[in-house]
Amino acid sequence: NTVLFVDDEPNIISALQRGLAGETYQKFFAVSGREALEIMAENDIHVIVTDMRMPIMNGLTLLKTVAEKYPSTVRIVLSGYAQLPQVLATINQVNVFRFIPKPWNLEEEFIPMIRSAIAFYNMTHEYQDFKAALEKQNMAFQKTIKESETKMRQLKLDWAALDSFKQEVWTYTLSQLSEGHHDELKAPEFSSVLTDIQAFLNEISSAYPKDPTTFNPDQLRTNLSLMAKSIPAIDDETGDRHFQILHDNHHLKLNGRFKLYMIMQHAIVNLLIRHKPLESLKISQIYDTQTKSILLQYEFPNTILATGTWELSIVIFALTEAHKLLPGKFFIQKDGKHLVANSICNCEARL
């Protein structure tokens, strides 16, 4: 702790220096209000003890300045009884902690008073520190609560969207399978369609609750390559599967629902080709900086498609609804002998 003593009488300053030599706090001494303010400008003063009657700048003026610039400094007045009106005015204007009358008893009055002021200063600052720490902790707690509430709301929305998605797909699937012009549909084929759709819905459900993941285009390319290796393929004489994966924007960091995204990409190929051998496949991976979305284009021979238009209709509907969960969209284009399936999903990106 630090204590500043101010008095224009050198003999009083000398007496204080001698009498307080055994005190452990750091002591500063000034013989004028101006010198006192210079000391306070360069040092963190915890307690100031000042005489009232001093030339140029009296004690009241000094303490007013101290109260304004250093409000946490504990203020003590040192004065004779003859200056009592001025002391009372000071107490009323600058919130003085104590008044020490001259002459004083060093051991019984002065030293205990200074120690009391130091203890008050320390207690006040400990309380302020505790209060600040408590407020900071409370803010962190409130932030945690808000984040938890936000997550819970998002979870409810996610699960509601998933339930709605399942209901929409099943309703559409059953409506397609129950139409009268599908009389030629055999029971095993009927069962196979339902099994594929159920497997697709189960895979989508396994990605919930969905959390954002940071990934890059290379990671996406790696996962697409692993997916391509699992697709039944027709090898030519050289054993080349004719699988290509093209991508751009190596420098991007992407953030999105990566697990759900990959499940949907796997489903696009599996549901469209219905596990039949594939002679060629080209996947183009493009990131659109304007729409902040990833576009994956799958190009393969349209001869590999399931022959029934009703079956293709179910697949396209299921994939279109699934892309809304990211959100995004899915559509198919025919290009001569090839069919191009477009999978577009929103995804945050940064350099």
Side-chain angles (χ1 to χ4, degrees), residues 302-319:
N302 55 26
T303 54
I304 203 70
L305 289 173
T307 55
T309 55
W310 59 270
E311 188 175 2
L312 181 58
S313 176
I314 292 174
V315 170
I316 293 176
F317 181 84
L319 290 171

Side-chain angles (χ1 to χ4, degrees), residues 170 188-202:
W170 274 124
E189 294 174 324
F190 184 93
S191 177
S192 176
V193 172
L194 294 181
T195 299
D196 281 348
I197 292 299
Q198 182 62 60
F200 176 52
L201 297 181
N202 289 342

Side-chain angles (χ1 to χ4, degrees), residues 205-236:
S205 300
S206 71
Y208 280 75
K210 52 182 182 178
D211 293 318
T213 303
T214 299
F215 59 98
N216 56 45
D218 287 330
Q219 183 180 352
L220 181 57
R221 177 187 173 92
T222 299
N223 282 54
L224 291 173
S225 297
L226 293 174
M227 180 190 74
K229 290 180 180 179
S230 67
I231 298 171
I234 300 174
D235 294 340
D236 59 14

Side-chain angles (χ1 to χ4, degrees), residues 69-130:
K69 290 186 175 182
Y70 313 100
S72 63
T73 299
V74 180
R75 296 172 286 278
I76 295 178
V77 169
L78 182 64
S79 187
Y81 284 106
Q83 302 155 10
L84 189 58
Q86 188 182 15
V87 170
L88 291 175
T90 304
I91 292 174
N92 291 333
Q93 294 183 48
V94 296
N95 191 23
V96 172
F97 177 71
R98 291 289 187 273
F99 163 63
I100 302 178
K102 291 181 180 180
W104 62 78
N105 184 297
L106 186 68
E107 296 295 334
E108 295 181 5
E109 288 183 282
F110 196 93
I111 291 179
M113 191 74 72
I114 303 303
R115 291 175 179 174
S116 175
I118 291 174
F120 177 79
Y121 174 88
N122 291 339
M123 180 183 67
T124 301
H125 273 256
E126 286 174 4
Y127 168 74
Q128 293 297 335
D129 291 343
F130 173 76

